[in-house]
Amino acid sequence: MRPLHRSDPSAVAGHRLLGRLGAGGMGVVYLARTPGGALAAVKVIRAEHAADPAFRERFRREARTAERITGRWTVRVLGADPEAREPWLATEYVPGPSLAETLALYGPLSEPAVRALGARLADALAGLHAGGLVHRDVKPANVLLAVDGPRLIDFGIARAAGATALTATDAMIGTPGYLAPEQARAAGAGDVGPPADVFALGCVLAYVLTGERPFGTGTVAAVVYRTVHEEPELGAVPASLKPLLAACLAKDPAARPTAEAVRDALGGTEGPVGELLPPGLPALIAERSARVLDLPVPEPTAVVPAPPPRGPSRRALLAGGSAALVVAAGALAARLGGLIGGGTGSGTDGGVQGGTSATAGNLPTYTIGVQTDLSGPRKADGRAQERGVRLAVERFNARPDRAFDLAVKVHDDAGDPARAARTAAAVGKDRAVLAVIGPTSPQVVAAAAETYQSNSLVYASVATGVDFTVMPDLIGEPSYFEMRTPVEILQLGFSTVTISRKLRRVAVVEDAAAGNIAWVMGSHMKGSLTGVGSTVTRHQVDAGTDDFGPAARAVKAAGAEAVLYAGLSPVRAARCARALAAAGFTGVCGAVESALEPDFLSGAGPAAEGWYFGTSYVDPATRATPSAKEFTAAYRARWGTAAADPVERYAAEAYDVTLAIAETMRGVRANGLAVERGALTRRLRELTYEGVTKKYGFDTSNGFLFRHQVYVHRVEAGRVRCLGHYEEVAEQEKRTRAS
């Protein structure tokens, strides 16, 4: 729960607000005390949406639907006013975690627990169906766990069977992976009846039993296709339950059992539930209950007086919402152009208290994992990350005012995707680990990210970036954090120099061996530099050739004053550099971080001299980063490196991200919440953290895009020198030109 904002009301219709449970585009959900003193979840719809007659009618329908919802295993509706300027509805508050959170924290549940929970959910659906209603969005996130059993929530899209829809024609209603084939086909409201809820319940039970979704994961289109056309994967389901779940997941709605039949087949609703839950979960529920009961009443904000009585209140329900963020290549290009053109910029809940143990000082301990390459092709970068994390943990634990301690667990994935996948599976099951730092290649990210996502485990990258146009699914992975500028934005390090020097003819050598990212980089350069008066020519090099000569000669013939190698390979970048030198090109050359490896320097030889590189990392030992002086001294003392040697790249970034995660933990604790995986995953994207070399934070308009922190490096006398942040380099170039 988060504190109330100053703009929030202090009360809604007599419900005294205590804090925010969540917020979305449609409104805010608050934790409140009812006039009688009970805890409630109050959803308030924003006035601008309520002004839409169609939206308000949908809200009225939701309230009418809620009046018909009864049963022990559904949340009790306390009141609603669909006619208020800002319509509101209130339900009882269930302090337990959702079934989705429970799986992330404890893994698959035992068969007896699943039978007990499943029977009660089936009983809740049977009650809905008997009243002529269809839920239409049964999924783990819509099931809250109390000690005596589950509670089915979120009836925002529930509707009377056969009722006319108030949504767009052919809209697909439900959640992919849990919706029935007839919902996936968007065949119409009349075709979605009680069997759709039974199908969704079958998906939920299979997932809770095995930890695997019966129709897999991936893009929405892929999951929907498998749901409609392929059989479910039930290989890991116990034999005693497989026939029942297979029947629930039949493609033909008429072939599925009723909710009552599922309830009876699972053993009915008699008997205990709490003792079947994972150890620690009942205690967690009790802890949350005690915490919210003791919440103080906050200071008044914007008080909204209770309206006069309107007669008996209508029943309504708690509905949640979520939004997905998608980054398109065109939007990134426009953003890049805006940054360059401007010339300047600025560089800012429920779950178990996993990973906690008592120390000698009686402080809890939270564990951060390092999964990185310590023995493979990028072992130097992996070692730097490990050292940065260890130093951060040691220095944090030396603080006398700390409220908890940190611990480290290190795993070597050797940079191998298959090994990374196996390591991620093991780390995901280790409930002591609350966050993981360290991937060293996009292939490792692709292999491990889904596993960490399924475990709600923060997976933070500082040493590699992925091409989101090739792996778009990662945009929607809230557990995967690129705590660095995206790869395609790193060309700011090169374009800054061309703009500062007023170079108007720029060429891009697009290396097809890099895949789609080469085209994206070329498009960004053309879109952004054209906006400041430059002419950009693009020259492609096929992936199947090592000959960069034709492209180099074309660059020379075009009269280019500067050229960017748009690719990721240091070996091929070296070939490009040699070809440009052979063609007699003497202008400014550049590339991005991925190409800045020893293979480039050795392969290009004298042709590497003067090349500029945009990077996400900075050398903390340079004059460009005076704030990192203390870190640099501590790092060298801890790891015995010579004063003349540069601090290994990514060490400072790993140090900073470790302490940023620790700061997130501190914030979670300050809000009275348990420090657990889900809370960190949600809170870390909202954090702004001032590190030893840079400020960390995500774009306010896109929670998956890291704010631009690009640094410029230059090859001088065969060595790489860090020039500083790209904005500082621009100022240096201007001063040099002026003198």
Side-chain angles (χ1 to χ4, degrees), residues 611-623:
W611 271 58
Y612 289 90
F613 290 83
T615 71
S616 64
Y617 59 83
V618 60
D619 182 355
T622 66
R623 288 179 296 175

Side-chain angles (χ1 to χ4, degrees), residues 683-697:
R683 295 297 181 87
L684 192 55
R685 284 196 200 279
E686 302 172 1
L687 179 74
T688 297
Y689 180 76
E690 191 71 55
V692 296
T693 59
K694 67 189 77 166
K695 182 178 287 187
Y696 293 78

Side-chain angles (χ1 to χ4, degrees), residues 371-547:
Q371 179 186 329
T372 195
D373 180 1
L374 296 175
S375 58
R378 291 193 65 182
K379 59 185 178 183
D381 292 336
R383 179 187 63 189
Q385 290 186 84
E386 179 193 2
R387 287 180 169 182
V389 172
R390 289 191 183 279
L391 180 61
V393 168
E394 291 169 4
R395 290 176 71 82
F396 180 88
N397 289 344
R399 297 177 181 175
D401 61 342
R402 70 191 186 283
F404 53 88
D405 282 325
L406 295 176
V408 184
K409 287 190 176 182
V410 178
H411 301 267
D412 178 14
D413 62 23
D416 176 65
R419 182 166 170 177
R422 294 192 298 271
T423 303
V427 175
K429 294 177 181 177
D430 183 352
R431 296 297 155 180
V433 179
L434 298 179
V436 178
I437 299 171
T440 52
S441 74
Q443 293 76 21
V444 165
V445 172
E450 185 175 323
T451 297
Y452 284 132
Q453 166 63 19
S454 66
N455 287 281
S456 297
L457 189 56
V458 168
Y459 187 33
S461 173
V462 299
T464 193
V466 302
D467 178 1
F468 287 113
T469 65
V470 176
M471 291 187 279
D473 286 355
L474 289 178
I475 279 288
E477 297 286 352
S479 288
Y480 175 60
F481 292 78
E482 280 200 359
M483 307 293 284
R484 46 171 285 138
T485 300
V487 174
E488 56 268 37
I489 304 298
L490 295 178
Q491 59 196 322
L492 273 173
F494 166 80
S495 57
T496 290
V497 177
T498 68
I499 292 172
S500 299
R501 296 186 181 182
K502 298 186 181 298
L503 305 179
R504 296 308 184 198
R505 296 188 300 277
V506 181
V508 181
V509 175
E510 297 178 10
D511 184 1
N516 194 54
I517 193 65
W519 177 87
V520 171
M521 291 171 68
S523 297
H524 288 183
M525 287 295 294
K526 187 174 182 65
S528 57
L529 293 187
T530 299
V532 294
S534 296
T535 299
V536 179
T537 58
R538 300 166 69 176
H539 311 272
Q540 286 77 34
V541 177
D542 291 339
T545 181
D546 293 334
D547 186 5

Side-chain angles (χ1 to χ4, degrees), residues 279-320:
L281 182 55
L284 168 65
I285 296 171
E287 174 194 343
R288 287 193 181 181
S289 300
R291 188 184 303 127
V292 296
L293 286 172
D294 289 338
L295 281 175
V297 176
E299 291 298 317
T301 53
V303 177
V304 177
R310 303 176 54 94
S313 61
R314 303 182 190 180
R315 290 194 170 187
L317 61 130
L318 172 64

Side-chain angles (χ1 to χ4, degrees), residues 64-88:
R64 289 195 296 269
T65 299
E67 292 176 353
R68 301 166 59 179
I69 296 172
T70 59
R72 181 178 178 185
W73 313 116
T74 55
V75 291
R76 186 167 59 93
V77 179
L78 305 177
D81 188 356
E83 310 306 327
R85 178 180 176 274
E86 292 188 331
W88 61 272

Side-chain angles (χ1 to χ4, degrees), residues 90-396:
T91 62
E92 64 179 334
Y93 176 68
V94 181
S98 70
L99 198 52
E101 291 177 276
T102 301
L103 257 69
L105 294 167
Y106 298 99
L109 304 185
S110 67
E111 181 181 341
V114 172
R115 283 181 174 274
L117 295 174
R120 287 155 176 79
L121 290 175
D123 190 59
L125 291 175
L128 286 180
H129 299 164
L133 298 173
V134 184
H135 188 284
R136 304 198 302 164
D137 199 20
V138 178
K139 59 184 177 182
N142 282 342
V143 178
L144 299 180
L145 295 184
V147 175
D148 64 337
R151 297 293 189 276
L152 186 61
I153 66 168
D154 200 344
F155 301 89
I157 62 172
R159 201 168 69 235
T164 302
L166 284 174
T167 53
T169 302
D170 291 334
M172 183 176 67
I173 302 298
T175 301
Y178 301 98
L179 51 77
E182 59 268 29
Q183 287 176 282
R185 295 189 186 100
D191 293 330
V192 178
D197 286 344
V198 173
F199 185 95
L201 179 60
C203 292
V204 169
L205 297 183
Y207 180 45
V208 175
L209 276 165
T210 67
E212 302 291 336
R213 299 181 184 181
F215 296 100
T217 59
T219 64
V220 170
V223 174
V224 168
Y225 179 88
R226 290 191 291 266
T227 300
V228 174
H229 299 287
E230 298 180 3
E231 294 304 311
E233 176 53 58
L234 299 176
V237 173
S240 58
L241 286 176
K242 191 174 297 182
L244 175 63
L245 296 192
C248 291
L249 299 178
K251 304 295 184 191
D252 181 4
R256 298 172 202 151
T258 64
E260 294 94 329
V262 174
R263 175 194 61 202
D264 296 341
L266 291 172
T269 60
E270 299 299 324
V273 175
E275 63 189 46
L276 301 176
L277 297 177
L281 182 55
L284 168 65
I285 296 171
E287 174 194 343
R288 287 193 181 181
S289 300
R291 188 184 303 127
V292 296
L293 286 172
D294 289 338
L295 281 175
V297 176
E299 291 298 317
T301 53
V303 177
V304 177
R310 303 176 54 94
S313 61
R314 303 182 190 180
R315 290 194 170 187
L317 61 130
L318 172 64
S322 63
L325 297 173
V326 179
V327 177
L332 281 174
R335 182 178 185 81
L336 176 60
L339 281 171
I340 296 175
T344 60
S346 59
T348 87
D349 302 282
V352 69
Q353 195 157 323
T356 311
S357 61
T359 66
N362 202 32
L363 293 177
T365 299
Y366 305 127
T367 301
I368 294 176
V370 178
Q371 179 186 329
T372 195
D373 180 1
L374 296 175
S375 58
R378 291 193 65 182
K379 59 185 178 183
D381 292 336
R383 179 187 63 189
Q385 290 186 84
E386 179 193 2
R387 287 180 169 182
V389 172
R390 289 191 183 279
L391 180 61
V393 168
E394 291 169 4
R395 290 176 71 82
F396 180 88

